[in-house]
Amino acid sequence: MKKLSLLVLIGITLLISACSSGEAADTVKVGISGSDTTIWDYVAEKAKEEGINVEIVRFSDYVQPNLALAEGEIDANAFQTVSYFDAFIKEHDLDLTPIATTVIAPMGLYSEKHDSVEAIPEGGTIALPKEATNMGRGLLLLQEAGLIKLEEGFDGNGSVDKIVENPKNLKFEPIVAGQTPRVLPDVDASIINNGIAVDAGYSPLDDSIYHEDETATPYINIIAVQDKDKDNETLNKLAEIYQSDDVADFIIEERNGNSIPTFVPLSEIGH
């Protein structure tokens, strides 16, 4: 009888152990900047179905998510553009790498006076963010729109003296990024960052007279991991889930088209 009881106990123990092991999920800590977790909450729900438990870690700036990733405090982060990432890891000598692209939040050119880029007059005034990286992005947008031409080998850091052709003799008014919507009544057009435009009540896709699209590869956002984890099966599966059609549709609906799902090969962003 004792022998039978012992065998039953061992059997139950093994069964519990097997069940526990089968139900165990991989946990991935993903760092983001800001308090809006809507998109990643949706991704987390889909990941759960695949046995991946996503823990979202919020940061209040654009510095800590990369430092925390480098220190192994989180497993991945998703908050930054390719341009910012490349500059940051070079400056801080970090062994991080992108494993997937996510969205682009398009910068736009807005006007209360003109309905198109072509309507901007000779000698018109354009406001643009004065911070170097934002100004650089804005100048590239103006070049894409056909209003100016920049020096060959432009490095992305903004300065109006890097304009080599200005056919309409436009004037440029560099101001703090947060003020770019407020000056619209006083200028012919203003370049406004995506988040600032949305906060001011504008739709980057519907209200701008020109905006970035998926071809603005330096400004596509990415999922980054430690270099040693770039082939990690769980992290790559999570990236695959993010890039699913379901998630793309959710982003478009949730963001009203103001963030564009942009799933391109890493080779297209220089990685």
Side-chain angles (χ1 to χ4, degrees):
M1 187 67 179
K2 285 183 180 178
K3 219 179 258 189
L4 181 60
S5 299
L6 182 59
L7 287 172
V8 170
L9 182 61
I10 291 171
I12 291 172
T13 303
L14 289 173
L15 182 62
I16 292 171
S17 173
C19 288
S20 298
S21 149
E23 291 172 2
D26 291 317
T27 296
V28 176
K29 292 183 177 180
V30 178
I32 66 167
S33 181
S35 59
D36 185 357
T37 62
T38 310
I39 305 301
W40 272 100
D41 286 340
Y42 185 78
V43 173
E45 284 300 314
K46 298 200 54 84
K48 197 172 183 179
E49 298 170 8
E50 302 288 338
I52 302 172
N53 177 43
V54 177
E55 182 181 330
I56 301 166
V57 182
R58 295 193 294 264
F59 295 89
S60 59
D61 61 25
Y62 272 36
V63 175
Q64 292 306 313
N66 278 331
L67 298 182
L69 179 57
E71 291 296 321
E73 296 170 10
I74 55 177
D75 303 299
N77 67 40
F79 74 100
Q80 62 195 322
T81 64
V82 177
S83 177
Y84 179 86
F85 173 81
D86 287 344
F88 192 95
I89 63 170
K90 182 178 180 181
E91 180 183 351
H92 296 273
D93 192 24
L94 303 179
D95 292 324
L96 307 180
T97 190
I99 58 168
T101 59
T102 56
V103 299
I104 186 166
M107 174 181 271
L109 181 65
Y110 298 77
S111 178
E112 291 185 354
K113 299 177 180 177
H114 312 292
D115 293 329
S116 67
V117 169
E118 294 73 23
I120 295 174
E122 174 90 15
T125 300
I126 295 180
L128 71 168
K130 71 176 184 179
E131 300 82 6
T133 52
N134 279 330
M135 184 187 289
R137 185 174 179 177
L139 291 175
L140 284 169
L141 182 66
L142 292 176
Q143 178 172 257
E144 175 95 12
L147 290 171
I148 62 169
K149 185 175 179 181
L150 297 166
E151 65 184 14
E152 191 173 345
F154 177 65
D155 61 6
N157 286 314
S159 174
V160 292
D161 61 10
K162 294 181 180 179
I163 299 171
V164 294
E165 291 182 22
N166 181 8
K168 288 191 173 184
N169 295 309
L170 299 171
K171 302 180 186 71
F172 301 97
E173 187 176 327
I175 58 175
V176 175
Q179 301 297 318
T180 49
R182 299 182 185 179
V183 299
L184 276 169
D186 306 315
V187 297
D188 289 281
S190 182
I191 291 175
I192 308 176
N193 287 67
N194 184 283
I196 293 171
V198 172
D199 287 346
Y202 296 105
S203 165
L205 300 189
D206 296 334
D207 296 328
S208 64
I209 59 172
Y210 195 85
H211 61 77
E212 292 170 334
D213 60 19
E214 298 92 331
T215 63
T217 52
Y219 307 113
I220 295 173
N221 283 261
I222 57 169
I223 298 173
V225 301
Q226 288 191 18
D227 193 59
K228 66 181 180 65
D229 290 332
K230 64 184 177 184
D231 297 318
N232 180 281
E233 188 176 337
T234 301
L235 293 174
N236 279 282
K237 179 63 179 176
L238 181 60
E240 185 182 316
I241 291 167
Y242 193 107
Q243 293 189 335
S244 66
D245 290 342
D246 281 354
V247 172
D249 291 342
F250 181 79
I251 293 169
I252 292 169
E253 183 179 351
E254 181 65 26
R255 296 288 186 253
N256 294 316
N258 295 324
S259 286
I260 306 170
T262 310
F263 308 149
V264 300
L266 294 176
S267 58
E268 290 192 20
I269 59 169
H271 290 271

